[in-house]
Structures are given as structure tokens and as C-alpha cells.
Amino acid sequence: MQDRNPANSAEREMAAEAYLQQLKTTFEQLPHDIPLYLFTSKGHEDVFTHANRQTIRAFRELSSKITLREYDLGHELAQKWNVTSSPTLIIAPERVSIRWLGAPLGEEARTFLETLILVGLGQGNLSEQSLRVLKRIDSPRNIKIFVSPSCPYCPQQAINAVKAAVEMPDLISLEIIDIQSEPEIANQYSAQSVPQAFANDVLIGQGAQPEEVFVLSLQKLETQTVFIPESDAEVVETDLVIVGGGPAGLTAGIYAVRSGLRTVIIEREALGGQVATTPIVENYPGFTQVGGKTLVDIMVSHALQYVQIFQGEAVVDIEPGTVITVLTNRRKFLTKTVLMATGASHRHLNVPGEHRLGGRGVSYCSTCDGPLFKGKKVVMVGGGNSAVTEALYLHYMGVDVRLIHRRDKLRAQDFLAKQLSANNISVLWNTEIKEIKGKERVSEIVLYNHKTNESSTLQVDGVFIAIGYTPEVELASKLGLELTEDGYIKHDGKHRTNVPGIYSAGDVEGGYKQIVTAAGQGAGAAMTIFEDLINPYWMKDQAQSVVAD
Ligand code: NAP
């Protein structure tokens, strides 16, 4: 959509120019040159080769430190460095062992930029906690990270690996593999979702991991889920810690800082929550149609003007008290209040085969994994707004998709439902999946129609599941927050929970679960927190109980 306000577009141009200047200065200050070697096949000009040249050209305009040499795959250097596929980009081979198979497109441009900076810096910029673990590695690690340009979770995991490879070039080598450019390698590893991280051919992480968890998984050559920092972790004092960087948390951050509260947001995965992977949003006021990730980027850059965001950091424990302690995998926050804006996570079908074939054809993210199924046959399970939006998205990108719904009527808004039939996307009504089958990857599903009581099988390459979300309340339960019968955080009209100083907002509260309502709840919670910090209701309760005694 075009911005008709000349003042706004001029402001944006100025901001973009300032950002560019800042990047140029950053590159100029880097101590090392960044030579790039691109290997391509003569006469074979595919989209990835073209995109690679374009992207590198754009980055080279930033600094003369970035140089490019292009060679044919038949060149002796290709043999020397064991390069066999086109395009392959080798980054500063004199100092690090990092290669990119495919092109740094879309979300991966972020990874590429950070890689160039870290390589130019000659340091991984890992946290002290991660460095301690990394130093325990005493034998070679060859990391492979599978990514795709449309995956908002991928840069976090790829950058974790780049940091490790830059920090320990003698032992750690890295291949970043665009799964669309290199489907055969992805097939060898049965990798059908992104990001996936392998070290020495062992799967060490599916999805984005906090940096410390990634490094621990790399050291142990086994997927780890939690990292508890050592006792001398950094301590940060705040008025408010917001757990979760979705629309509720980001809005709360803006409101809280504008009220004068020292506030931080902690998000363990991609910012924006579910919105980051929603293909198109059509009901957020001010935007007739906007990509979910674009909307998130706008919200995040707005929030960053006010609030510090600790992305890629996972909260592992919260201890209530007059001063509340929030422990992450990296540091300790001492805070007066906490806002739980932890959102919700994908609901599972809980049928045989679903867990085993996760990332092997079973997917919960059509924007991340959809491109891998172009021209292939998949089903989308669910009848709500998410399932229909995502089925349409898959259809538009050339995936042969069918919807499977357990009832004979969709829960999705009429507007979306009509688009299904307009695009000839067929629906298997009154049907449930009973089992997902496949050896290395999904090949067949077993269906049951509970109107006709008939069972059948269907050959498919993928099963996308969008059957709603379950509230993310693990931390809330651990710290003693009361939950509703449906498992959401119990709260009053002002977003206060049963534990003094702890509040809730967004999908974890239940209710309408729209982007706009989550943002509203975040704003409401931040305003309550501001009022309560001036006039703490829990102190009033104590005073009253002292009087009553
Ligand atoms: P949802 O609205 O809760 O719908 C879930 C669907 O999955 C329902 O059709 C349900 O069937 C089906 N289902 C649930 N459990 C199942 C199972 N075990 N097996 C088979 N099917 C099952 O979830 P959603 O579509 O993910 O949407 C979640 C929330 O986000 C909603 O409030 C939605 O409006 C919102 N959303 C908002 C936006 C936006 O603001 N732009 C975009 C997308 C989604 P039944 O119908 O039989 O219950």
C-alpha cells in the first residue's frame, strides 16, 4: 500500500539513509577484510545464482572490505575446497570455515549481514555463558543448518552457528543450506522443516534455540532444551519484565516505557509470536492487507524505539516476592513486576506418527515449510481461520492442498471460507486423521469419516496441522498462577493474577485471540502496572489485614 503522507515517506527515506550510513561505518571499523568466493555452474543461470550476485552486489556497495571472486565449479579451487554444488558461497576461507549453499534471500539476508559483520570482526560475540560451554569442545564439529528464505525462525539458529564457527574456526565448520536450492541434501537428511541443525550428522536442534541451548547441544551432540546459567550471571534491575514478544508484549513495552517504567521484553524465539508466521493479515486496523511478518517488523521497530528486547533468551524460572527474580539462560532480572505475555503454542493431533514424522513432512508452519512442498500433495488439517488462510497460501504457491475438517461446517470467517471454493480447494468433511505413516518421511495418512464410519488411506507428501493453540502456561504454573478450567491464566479485569506483581496479557489469557485484542490487552496491562506501582494494591491489602487483625 502506498503511503500518501509525504512527511511519513520522507521520514522513512531519512531513516533508511541513516541506517545505511550506520552500516557503512560499522563495516569501515571492522578489522578484517571479508573475501567472498562464489562457485557457479557455467551456462547454468538459475534463480539462486542470480539472487546471490544481486545480494552480494548490494552488500559490496556498503564497504570495499567485501570482495567477490566468481569461479566455475570446474575450477581447481572448487576441487581444493571440495565444492560440488552451484551456487556455493565460501566466506573468508583463510580465517573461517563457513559456506552457504543457495542464496541469502528473504529472511536470510539478516543472517548474511550478521555473518559478514562477525567474520569481519573476527569474533563470535557469544555470551560469556555460551563461551564457557563452547570452550569444552575439543573435537571437530561440522554443522549443517537447513534454512529457507520465508522462515522467520531461521536467522536466530543460523546466527547461533555462525557465532560458534567464527569463535572456534579450528574445530567448527559450518554449512548454511537453503533447503529449496538444495532439496537433494535436505532429502538425504530427511529435513522437511526449517530450521534444522545437524552437527557431525546428528540432529541437534529442530526450530530456533536460544544461543546457550544451541551451544550446549553442539557440545553434547544431542538436542538440549534448557540451559541454566552459572551463578555469576549478569544481574539487571527493572520495574517490569515482559515475558513474550508477541503483539501483547510489544504493545505493553511501548506503553510501559512511555509511562516511565524501566522495562525489558524477553522472547526466546521469533518476535511477533504467531503473527510472524501468518501469511496475510486482513483485519488489523490501518492495514487492508499486510503480510504477518511485515506487520511484526513494523511493530518491532516501533517497540525498539522505546524498549530493550532480549530476543533469543529463554526465561527458565520466576521467583515471586517483593523483588521478583526472573532467571533466563543468560542473566538474572530483579524486577518489581512481571507481565506474562507468553501466548500459545500449536495444538497437536496426538495421533500415531505425528511426533516421529515432525520435520519429516508433518509441519505446523506453512510459511516456513510450504515452499518445500511446491508441486507436491499435502493436506491441511483444521477448520479455523488459520487452517483456511494457510491452505490458501499453500495453494497460491503451487502446492496441491486439500483441507481436512472434522465437522461439516468451517469455523473460519465466511470471507475466508468463500475463497476456498473460489480457488477449487477441496475439503474432506467429517474426516479425521487416525494415523500418519511413512518410513523416513510422510507418505500416507489413515482417515476416518465418522458420518459414514468408513476408513480410507490417502497418499500424501505432507501434513500441515492448524488446529488451534494451547496456552503457554508452563512458567505460570511453576510460579503458582491460578489457571482457568480451559488452562488459561486466571486474571481480573485489570490483568492482575493471583500472585502480587504478576500480570497477564494476550492469548495466554484466552478470549478472542486476535492481534488487535492482544495489543489492547498489552496496553491495558501496562497501564494497570503503572498505576499499581504508584499505589500497590497488595500493600493496601496488607495494610487492611493489619488493621483487621
Ligand atoms: P481455532 O479457531 O481454534 O480453530 C481450530 C480448528 O481446528 C477448528 O476448526 C477445530 O474444529 C479444529 N480442531 C481442533 N482440534 C482438532 C483435532 N484434535 N482434530 C481435528 N481438528 C481439530 O484455531 P485457529 O484457526 O488456529 O485460530 C486461533 C485463533 O486465532 C482464533 O481466534 C482465530 O480467529 C485467530 N486468528 C486470527 C487471525 C487474525 O487476527 N488475523 C488469523 C488467524 C487466526 P471444530 O471447528 O470442530 O472445533
Side-chain angles (χ1 to χ4, degrees):
M1 239 183 355
Q2 242 186 344
D3 189 342
R4 289 172 207 277
N5 184 341
N8 281 353
S9 61
E11 259 175 40
R12 266 205 304 271
E13 269 173 35
M14 275 166 61
E17 185 52 36
Y19 179 62
L20 219 60
Q21 284 309 325
Q22 199 187 330
L23 272 183
K24 284 182 179 172
T25 312
T26 305
F27 274 103
E28 279 326 300
Q29 289 169 351
L30 293 176
H32 300 286
D33 286 343
I34 310 151
L36 304 174
Y37 299 82
L38 179 63
F39 291 86
T40 56
S41 291
K42 218 178 246 166
H44 183 68
E45 188 67 10
D46 66 2
V47 59
F48 295 100
T49 302
H50 182 67
N52 235 320
R53 290 198 193 105
Q54 295 256 48
T55 312
I56 295 168
R57 190 174 306 140
F59 278 98
R60 284 181 67 199
E61 278 170 20
L62 290 175
S63 169
S64 56
K65 289 209 161 86
I66 304 167
T67 54
L68 174 70
R69 290 200 182 148
E70 188 168 336
Y71 297 98
D72 182 71
L73 270 190
H75 191 273
E76 59 183 27
L77 264 187
Q79 268 192 339
K80 183 178 163 198
W81 292 337
N82 197 21
V83 180
T84 51
S85 58
S86 166
T88 296
L89 185 65
I90 308 255
I91 302 168
E94 301 80 7
R95 290 187 291 110
V96 292
S97 179
I98 300 177
R99 60 181 62 191
W100 201 301
L101 279 67
L105 286 166
E107 295 291 325
E108 285 313 307
R110 211 175 96 205
T111 308
F112 189 54
L113 172 64
E114 193 132 351
T115 303
L116 296 181
I117 293 176
L118 291 173
V119 169
L121 203 60
Q123 279 175 21
N125 269 0
L126 286 156
S127 74
E128 277 180 33
Q129 307 285 341
S130 300
L131 266 179
R132 266 183 220 155
V133 178
L134 196 78
K135 295 266 158 72
R136 288 186 217 140
I137 294 179
D138 56 9
S139 58
R141 298 284 189 274
N142 173 253
I143 309 173
K144 285 187 172 59
I145 304 272
F146 290 96
V147 298
S148 97
S150 57
C151 160
Y153 301 102
C154 291
Q156 178 177 331
Q157 190 73 329
I159 291 166
N160 285 340
V162 170
K163 288 177 167 185
V166 171
E167 196 60 47
M168 222 181 229
D170 296 341
L171 286 182
I172 300 175
S173 61
L174 166 65
E175 289 168 276
I176 298 174
I177 304 168
D178 180 333
I179 207 163
Q180 288 176 62
S181 162
E182 297 291 347
E184 279 174 22
I185 305 181
N187 265 342
Q188 277 169 26
Y189 284 79
S190 297
Q192 291 196 304
S193 74
V194 282
Q196 289 197 28
F198 292 81
N200 300 358
D201 293 341
V202 176
L203 181 67
I204 58 162
Q206 222 177 65
Q209 294 168 303
E211 181 192 295
E212 290 76 5
V213 178
F214 170 81
V215 174
L216 191 63
S217 306
L218 180 65
Q219 186 239 332
K220 291 192 177 294
L221 285 177
E222 189 179 58
T223 305
Q224 305 292 305
T225 50
V226 188
F227 179 91
I228 311 278
E230 298 192 4
S231 54
D232 60 349
E234 182 198 2
V235 175
V236 181
E237 284 185 29
T238 61
D239 296 319
L240 168 63
V241 169
I242 298 170
V243 188
L250 293 169
T251 312
I254 295 170
Y255 271 74
V257 176
R258 286 174 63 89
S259 303
L261 302 184
R262 292 172 303 161
T263 306
V264 296
I265 296 176
I266 303 171
E267 168 59 60
R268 68 179 168 190
E269 281 191 351
L271 291 164
Q274 295 155 37
V275 190
T277 54
T278 302
I280 292 288
V281 176
E282 295 178 324
N283 55 8
Y284 193 77
F287 298 88
T288 44
Q289 201 178 66
V290 60
K293 183 63 178 37
T294 307
L295 183 59
V296 166
D297 289 344
I298 294 168
M299 285 186 183
V300 170
S301 58
H302 185 182
L304 277 173
Q305 290 186 15
Y306 294 97
V307 59
Q308 192 173 5
I309 301 177
F310 293 88
Q311 196 264 325
E313 220 165 300
V315 175
V316 288
D317 201 17
I318 301 176
E319 277 171 38
T322 329
V323 175
I324 303 166
T325 305
V326 177
L327 185 70
T328 73
N329 49 290
R330 191 168 298 176
R331 67 198 108 215
K332 197 188 264 187
F333 293 88
L334 301 179
T335 182
K336 295 174 186 158
T337 57
V338 172
L339 174 62
M340 303 296 286
T342 44
S345 50
H346 305 286
R347 192 177 281 154
H348 294 104
L349 280 172
N350 292 323
V351 296
E354 181 185 15
H355 179 70
R356 180 175 63 82
L357 293 164
R360 310 271 174 270
V362 172
S363 171
Y364 304 86
C365 180
S366 62
T367 41
C368 310
D369 307 331
L372 312 175
F373 293 87
K374 252 183 221 171
K376 295 188 176 172
K377 198 168 163 181
V378 309
V379 290
M380 169 67 69
V381 192
N385 284 339
S386 301
V388 175
T389 308
E390 293 183 29
L392 286 163
Y393 173 76
L394 291 173
H395 170 77
Y396 294 145
M397 75 165 65
V399 179
D400 178 0
V401 59
R402 268 179 174 196
L403 197 76
I404 295 185
H405 184 38
R406 65 182 179 185
R407 287 190 296 135
D408 59 3
K409 192 171 182 328
L410 294 174
R411 184 176 290 271
Q413 288 163 355
D414 200 38
F415 180 81
L416 285 170
K418 281 184 180 145
Q419 289 184 46
L420 268 189
S421 46
N423 283 285
N424 294 323
I425 297 174
S426 64
V427 184
L428 294 173
W429 300 104
N430 305 306
T431 301
E432 286 181 39
I433 292 186
K434 288 290 172 199
E435 188 175 353
I436 303 172
K437 290 183 164 178
K439 214 170 166 199
E440 295 293 322
R441 61 196 71 133
V442 170
S443 58
E444 186 178 82
I445 48 177
V446 180
L447 300 171
Y448 177 71
N449 183 316
H450 48 80
K451 271 276 157 67
T452 61
N453 290 331
E454 279 173 12
S455 293
S456 59
T457 57
L458 187 68
Q459 311 288 317
V460 289
D461 301 300
V463 178
F464 284 81
I465 299 169
I467 57 168
Y469 295 86
T470 46
E472 195 58 69
V473 288
E474 203 184 321
L475 272 173
S477 310
K478 208 168 141 196
L479 85 98
L481 298 193
E482 281 176 22
L483 303 182
T484 66
E485 269 181 18
D486 299 330
Y488 296 97
I489 295 180
K490 216 180 213 177
H491 58 95
D492 70 8
K494 296 207 133 206
H495 307 280
R496 296 169 178 144
T497 69
N498 61 305
V499 175
I502 314 270
Y503 300 77
S504 60
D507 284 4
V508 77
E509 289 193 325
Y512 290 115
K513 297 183 211 133
Q514 303 296 300
I515 307 167
V516 68
T517 52
Q521 288 161 348
M527 287 194 277
T528 301
I529 291 166
F530 173 68
E531 286 162 12
D532 285 352
L533 279 175
I534 295 172
N535 205 357
Y537 68 92
W538 53 89
M539 300 294 278
K540 258 189 276 173
D541 288 351
Q542 274 173 16
Q544 269 165 13
S545 78
V546 172
V547 172
D549 290 346

